[in-house]
Amino acid sequence: RATADSYLDMSGWGKGYIWINGVALGRYWPAMGPQERIYVPATVLSEGNSIEIVVFELDAPAADLTVRFAEAPNFAPSAQR
């Protein structure tokens, strides 16, 4: 099965930057929106290889936070938060 585009769910995190396999994907700030998930192109996810995720969190996250892959984006206006 071929690797498909994906999204990294950052809900619950503060704000910061994210890299996967050495590729800078951008910054996240779920509390400000409008998105909670970061787009991950399939080319970044090499099939058969391990995936290295680096999160540079600028706020103080809870110790039990995790990052999860999702199949679709999640857009929500920051006014709804």
Side-chain angles (χ1 to χ4, degrees):
R1 181 175 147 185
T3 303
D5 292 346
S6 186
Y7 293 85
L8 203 57
D9 188 351
M10 300 305 292
S11 56
W13 287 80
K15 63 181 174 183
Y17 299 87
I18 192 145
W19 292 262
I20 294 185
N21 293 337
V23 177
L25 296 180
R27 60 185 177 181
Y28 61 90
W29 195 352
M32 294 304 290
Q35 68 185 42
E36 293 183 340
R37 296 178 179 168
I38 303 295
Y39 174 69
V40 182
T43 55
V44 173
L45 304 172
S46 305
E47 191 172 350
N49 294 328
S50 61
I51 298 172
E52 177 186 51
I53 300 174
V54 177
V55 177
F56 180 57
E57 171 65 39
L58 299 172
D59 288 339
D64 62 346
L65 278 176
T66 60
V67 290
R68 297 175 306 277
F69 284 98
E71 294 181 4
N74 183 17
F75 294 101
S78 56
Q80 292 181 359
R81 298 178 193 276

